[in-house]
Amino acid sequence: MTVEPDDCDQYHLEAEDIHRHFGGVKALDGATVFVKKNKLISLIGPNGSGKTTLFNVVTCWLPKTDPFDEDGGKVVFEKERIDDLSAHEAALTGMIRTFQTTRNWQRLTTLENLLVAPPNQTGESFLNIFLKRKKIREEERKNTLKAIEVLEFLEIMHIRDQLAEELSGGQLKLLSLGRLLMTVPSLILLDEPMAGINPTLGNKIMDKILELKENVTIFLIEHNMDVVFNYSDEIFVMASGKMIAHGTPDEIETNRDVIEAYLGEDY
């Protein structure tokens, strides 16, 4: 399936004709996706279809198979090519992601986890500890106020002093989302945010994610079809490393290629 953008100005992320091979295995075989600004865009597909690999490439955790091949695809974020950036550099552009397994500082409290999230803090430099104490104190004050605002938004103020290792799976998901919000991202990529949590908490998390859309674009991988069809503005469907369908939830729900990819051609 070929996807063509109708207006590049409305897109936050453009990943076009992306290839990624692992030996003889084609994990991505010309995958293309365009993510509209201030929308919730879902990426679905059978296990092994290449969804997480695509996330890894667009966030620069994995290079394209041939990063020096100008015809081998491109990744554009906010109109800038980012193919050659490191994962750290890509994150500093405002594109932040979560992983299937939450990654938090287990021996820090919920509040402390949020406070270490903002990048380029003045106090990270050893010399600044002595030379810029006033600036560090003011920065820490602002970050604490921001962290409290995030805790209140996510409704997890009651666990602010608990260690991350003491939290439930759902609370860890909310903490991971909170750490992203501390970096003030413009695009958030979520890899299976509903995995391992109960439906009630899952709906609460999705409601919070929807509230972010006014200022943030959401791009998510999810296997929970109720979540995908109830919350998405648009859906991309992958199979065998390629996009096979793209459209609104109503369009995807009745798409024959999607039905065959999930249930088999005899369904």
Side-chain angles (χ1 to χ4, degrees):
M1 185 200 74
T2 301
V3 181
E4 296 290 345
D6 47 11
D7 180 1
C8 291
D9 287 339
Q10 68 176 309
Y11 292 97
H12 241 142
L13 176 69
E14 304 165 51
E16 188 172 2
D17 194 28
I18 304 300
H19 295 260
R20 177 67 199 186
H21 302 168
F22 296 97
V25 177
K26 292 183 178 181
L28 297 174
D29 190 14
T32 294
V33 63
F34 296 95
V35 178
K36 289 182 179 179
K37 295 178 180 178
N38 303 112
K39 300 290 185 181
L40 193 155
I41 309 297
S42 290
L43 177 62
I44 67 173
N47 289 330
S49 60
K51 303 183 299 296
T52 295
T53 301
L54 181 61
F55 262 34
N56 287 339
V57 171
V58 300
T59 56
C60 302
W61 282 82
L62 278 177
K64 294 181 299 182
T65 299
D66 188 355
F68 303 106
D69 182 359
E70 294 182 357
D71 296 324
K74 64 180 180 179
V75 180
V76 177
F77 175 62
E78 295 188 343
K79 300 183 180 180
E80 298 289 337
R81 287 282 295 265
I82 62 170
D83 304 3
D84 59 347
L85 299 184
S86 67
H88 172 70
E89 291 169 334
L92 292 177
T93 66
M95 177 172 57
I96 305 293
R97 68 169 295 183
T98 64
F99 295 82
Q100 293 178 17
T101 303
T102 56
R103 300 186 177 189
N104 299 298
W105 298 94
Q106 295 300 299
R107 296 295 295 169
L108 297 182
T109 67
T110 300
L111 177 61
E112 290 168 340
N113 263 278
L114 298 187
L115 292 177
V116 299
N120 302 321
Q121 297 187 55
T122 304
E124 293 174 356
S125 168
F126 180 74
L127 287 178
N128 286 345
I129 295 175
F130 303 99
L131 301 177
K132 299 184 178 181
R133 293 183 180 180
K134 183 177 180 180
K135 182 177 181 180
I136 291 173
R137 285 196 298 269
E138 178 60 19
E139 198 172 83
E140 289 178 343
R141 185 187 70 83
K142 290 181 178 179
N143 285 339
T144 300
L145 291 175
K146 174 66 176 176
I148 291 173
E149 180 183 321
V150 169
L151 290 171
E152 290 176 340
F153 170 73
L154 295 176
E155 300 180 27
I156 53 173
M157 179 66 79
H158 60 290
I159 60 170
R160 60 173 286 175
D161 296 321
Q162 285 186 244
L163 298 178
E165 66 180 9
E166 300 171 346
L167 304 183
S168 68
Q171 289 171 334
L172 288 172
K173 295 278 188 178
L174 287 166
L175 175 54
S176 292
L177 180 59
R179 289 180 61 195
L180 297 190
L181 296 180
M182 288 295 294
T183 69
V184 194
S186 58
L187 171 63
I188 296 177
L189 294 89
L190 303 172
D191 196 346
E192 297 191 34
M194 300 298 102
I197 59 177
N198 67 68
T200 300
L201 182 55
N203 288 332
K204 175 182 175 181
I205 292 174
M206 289 306 304
D207 288 340
K208 292 299 180 184
I209 289 172
L210 276 187
E211 291 183 45
L212 300 173
K213 280 202 309 177
E214 182 176 347
N215 300 306
V216 181
T217 301
I218 310 295
F219 187 26
L220 84 122
I221 294 172
E222 185 52 60
H223 285 290
N224 185 321
M225 292 298 104
D226 287 338
V227 167
V228 170
F229 286 103
N230 287 330
Y231 289 93
S232 301
D233 294 302
E234 294 181 6
I235 302 170
F236 284 84
V237 186
M238 290 190 74
S240 302
K242 299 178 181 180
M243 294 297 171
I244 62 169
H246 164 233
T248 64
D250 287 342
E251 291 169 339
I252 295 300
E253 194 169 20
T254 57
N255 186 290
R256 186 64 196 175
D257 290 335
V258 176
I259 294 171
E260 290 181 1
Y262 273 97
L263 301 174
E265 60 183 13
D266 294 330
Y267 178 78

